[in-house]
Amino acid sequence: MDNNFIHEFIDEDIASGRYGYEGKPIYTRFPPEPNGYLHIGHAKAICLSFTTARKYGGKCNLRFDDTNPGKEDTEYVESIEEDVRWLGFEWDKLCFASNYFDRMYECACELIRRGLAYVDDQTADEIRDTRGTLTSPGAESPHRGRGIDENLRLFEEMKNGAYEAGEKVLRAKIDMASPNMNMRDPVLYRVSHAEHHNTGSAWSVYPMYDFAHPIEDAIEGITHSLCTLEFEDHRPLYDWVLDSLEWPAAPRQIEFARLAITHTVMSKRLLKGLVDDGQVRGWDDPRMPTIAGLRRRGYTPEAIRSFCEQIGVSKSNSEVDVEFLEHCVRDDLKAKVESRNVVFDPVKVIITNYPAGGESGAALEYVTMENSRENPELGFRTVPFGREIYVDGDDFMEVPAKKYFRLFPGNEVRLKGAYFITCNEVVKHPDGSVKELLCTYDPATKSGEGEPGRKVKGTIHWVEASSAVKIRVFEYGYLMKENEDGAYEFDPNSVREKICYAEPSVRDAMAGERFQFFRHGYYIEDAKLTDASPGGEKVFNQIVGLKSSWKPEGK
Ligand code: ATP
Ligand code: MG
């Protein structure tokens, strides 16, 4: 990973011995809240925290920031572990913030004893209404002057379940006139009787993020706490908590820009809404920007890591074009996967002068095809060819458009890896749709065995009809589209299902195997959908098309 501003800060800290870092390993963490599946924004944070630790020979923890009962669930805990590992990272320790609840409670009592926290009886509305504005100071709570003993007793009663949610909170005693709103006596603890996924009903009070997070970091010996930009204004509070507790060698919080990508959303709350409303097939729907969705879509960990590395880290939020993400997966797959012939919207072609078979059906011959244009190491395969084949619907036009060089009546094209054929006649169904094309081939044009003296402009692919394998293919648009006001809304028309014909070897595709479907794009076998496939057909998801209008900057 290139040096970035975060690494520059760390270098400075190491050089100056500031925060007591000399001799201490650099320690980072990735701290998701287990209230949903991880998305590609999290992948950016994961890559950054893990590779930073790696760069300095340090360590990185996976820590579940599970201080919010009610919204959190073990399903999410498990999916997060799976996703981090799948991305290619292994944590030093697996931690749960909830394992520190005793210690956090003790820290809160310590703040009370130091006169730095008090129990407030005001409602959430009252607290909000007395916070003041950016231009005017807030008003102090009537309970701000409570004595230490009374505060300790009330806080203990809160812990023991004597109060309902919202009846009382613990607040830091800082400065109601601070220009930073986060410093105006922020709430540190609240009452909640919700069941916690880890601690059950043991607790009736739960720490707020701004209080819990610095303590979690400090307990684990984190040296650099990397988080997104929205926490920049919270940094004084992060530092205040640890200063007030006189924590030695406290961690340093460094913020970086959140990842946003066009045509999708990156908020667990919004993504969960799509799942709960049944608008997508689940957290791993191939249109979702979740790691699980991208995995099912056929993205590789290498492609996602390369994307995260190339977008880099900065201090200003910006939106990355989704085509850059697509470029990264195409770039990763192009030399890795083999090509197969698959015909979409099939049109049957009968080669009338090709020898018909005997009693056993059509006489097939076998032609050799390269498995990859990009990577000769992927070798060759043989593919059957015969009198009846299918070609793509798009490769035929009864009345050709300008500059259309593929099949149309009277025109000759090259069948990739086989012969030149000329279209002589279009046979139609009674409803006027195309039934089949009658063509003739030139036996002297077999690929690799010398070319005749004439040129053809179009080369198309094909699949021999009697051995063709029927498959189902899902193609995807973007999750979100812009509405009239320019805002994103879910696009319900972002999936298309197609029945296609593939060359016979596609029958042997393994679960999760990826291919390039020649001239179409990259596809992955979807084992879940194949298992549920009514006719037993293999089902494929489109990973990405072949071409993009996206160009690297300056090219
Ligand atoms: P969401 O709003 O999607 O729920 P979050 O920030 O609440 O996101 P957390 O589980 O708290 O999600 O995030 C864990 C870590 O991942 C945090 O350090 C957070 O800063 C980082 N993170 C979350 N979203 C992004 C993003 N879009 N880009 C970069 N980092 C992110
Ligand atoms: Mg969050």
Side-chain angles (χ1 to χ4, degrees), residues 221-434:
I222 301 304
T223 59
H224 294 85
S225 179
L226 313 182
C227 64
T228 35
L229 226 44
E230 71 271 25
F231 295 106
E232 192 169 25
D233 288 348
H234 297 240
R235 189 178 349 122
L237 182 51
Y238 182 102
D239 292 339
W240 181 89
V241 169
L242 296 176
D243 282 351
S244 304
L245 293 165
E246 291 182 64
W247 213 294
R252 174 178 185 183
Q253 175 181 301
I254 304 173
E255 310 84 16
F256 61 92
R258 264 181 113 78
L259 172 65
I261 298 182
T262 57
H263 296 288
T264 193
V265 286
M266 217 74 90
S267 139
K268 279 182 278 186
R269 187 178 54 79
L270 294 176
L271 295 173
K272 186 171 189 303
L274 294 176
V275 173
D276 291 346
D277 298 346
Q279 287 179 296
V280 293
R281 287 195 301 240
W283 284 99
D284 67 350
D285 186 291
R287 287 165 293 175
M288 294 276 271
T290 50
I291 305 298
L294 289 163
R295 176 166 59 228
R296 192 150 178 211
R297 181 72 179 264
Y299 274 70
T300 55
E302 293 84 355
I304 296 174
R305 292 201 305 261
S306 155
F307 170 79
C308 291
E309 201 166 305
Q310 291 187 65
I311 55 172
V313 280
S314 79
K315 266 278 185 196
S316 57
N317 285 321
S318 65
E319 209 180 26
V320 177
D321 194 321
V322 67
E323 290 194 7
F324 181 62
L325 179 61
E326 296 171 351
H327 160 81
C328 290
V329 72
R330 209 181 277 121
D331 202 47
D332 181 51
L333 294 180
K334 69 179 184 214
K336 280 187 183 168
V337 306
E338 295 188 3
S339 171
R340 294 289 181 267
N341 293 326
V342 175
V343 162
F344 287 58
D345 308 315
V347 173
K348 188 172 255 185
V349 169
I350 299 180
I351 304 169
T352 51
N353 61 338
Y354 190 88
E359 283 166 356
S360 60
L364 301 185
E365 67 174 300
Y366 286 83
V367 301
T368 300
M369 295 207 167
E370 62 187 355
N371 281 330
S372 169
R373 269 190 183 173
E374 298 277 342
N375 181 2
E377 285 177 20
L378 293 180
F380 296 88
R381 69 188 187 288
T382 53
V383 180
F385 180 80
R387 189 170 190 265
E388 298 194 359
I389 60 173
Y390 291 111
V391 299
D392 264 19
D394 272 355
D395 285 338
F396 170 73
M397 277 184 103
E398 190 166 9
V399 181
K402 242 189 179 168
K403 295 200 174 166
Y404 187 83
F405 301 121
R406 291 168 274 166
L407 271 183
F408 55 86
N411 195 41
E412 186 171 45
V413 297
R414 173 188 293 127
L415 294 177
K416 167 88 178 162
Y419 301 93
F420 287 13
I421 58 169
T422 303
C423 178
N424 303 309
E425 194 182 333
V426 183
V427 181
K428 294 194 175 166
H429 289 290
D431 70 356
S433 62
V434 174

Side-chain angles (χ1 to χ4, degrees), residues 120-192:
D120 196 354
D121 302 353
Q122 294 185 109
T123 63
D125 286 345
E126 284 166 338
I127 290 175
R128 194 178 45 245
D129 294 346
T130 51
R131 257 180 110 203
T133 66
L134 286 174
T135 50
S136 61
E140 292 185 355
S141 162
H143 310 288
R144 200 173 197 261
R146 265 181 177 145
I148 289 172
D149 290 341
E150 188 187 357
N151 278 320
L152 284 172
R153 177 178 57 78
L154 290 173
F155 187 45
E156 190 176 3
E157 286 174 6
M158 282 165 67
K159 179 185 81 146
N160 292 337
Y163 303 106
E164 290 307 314
E167 240 184 290
K168 283 189 167 39
V169 291
L170 183 74
R171 292 179 75 176
K173 197 184 221 173
I174 308 179
D175 179 5
M176 288 306 291
S178 170
N180 182 338
M181 300 290 279
N182 295 303
M183 300 298 273
R184 294 186 185 175
D185 290 11
V187 173
L188 304 180
Y189 261 91
R190 67 198 186 285
V191 172
S192 167

Side-chain angles (χ1 to χ4, degrees), residues 14 94 121 123 136 168 202 328 345 438 463 480 491 523 544 554:
I14 292 171
L94 182 68
D121 302 353
T123 63
S136 61
K168 283 189 167 39
C328 290
D345 308 315
L438 303 183
V463 166
M480 293 281 153
D491 183 355
Y523 293 79
V544 68

Side-chain angles (χ1 to χ4, degrees), residues 83-95:
D83 290 349
V84 174
R85 282 213 178 92
W86 180 80
L87 278 173
F89 299 104
E90 192 53 56
W91 45 88
D92 283 275
K93 280 193 205 151
L94 182 68
C95 306

Side-chain angles (χ1 to χ4, degrees), residues 281 286 296 474 476 522-524 526 529 540-543:
R281 287 195 301 240
R296 192 150 178 211
F474 284 94
Y476 300 99
Y522 294 93
Y523 293 79
I524 183 169
D526 187 315
L529 292 178
F540 287 84
N541 290 318
Q542 176 199 44
I543 305 169

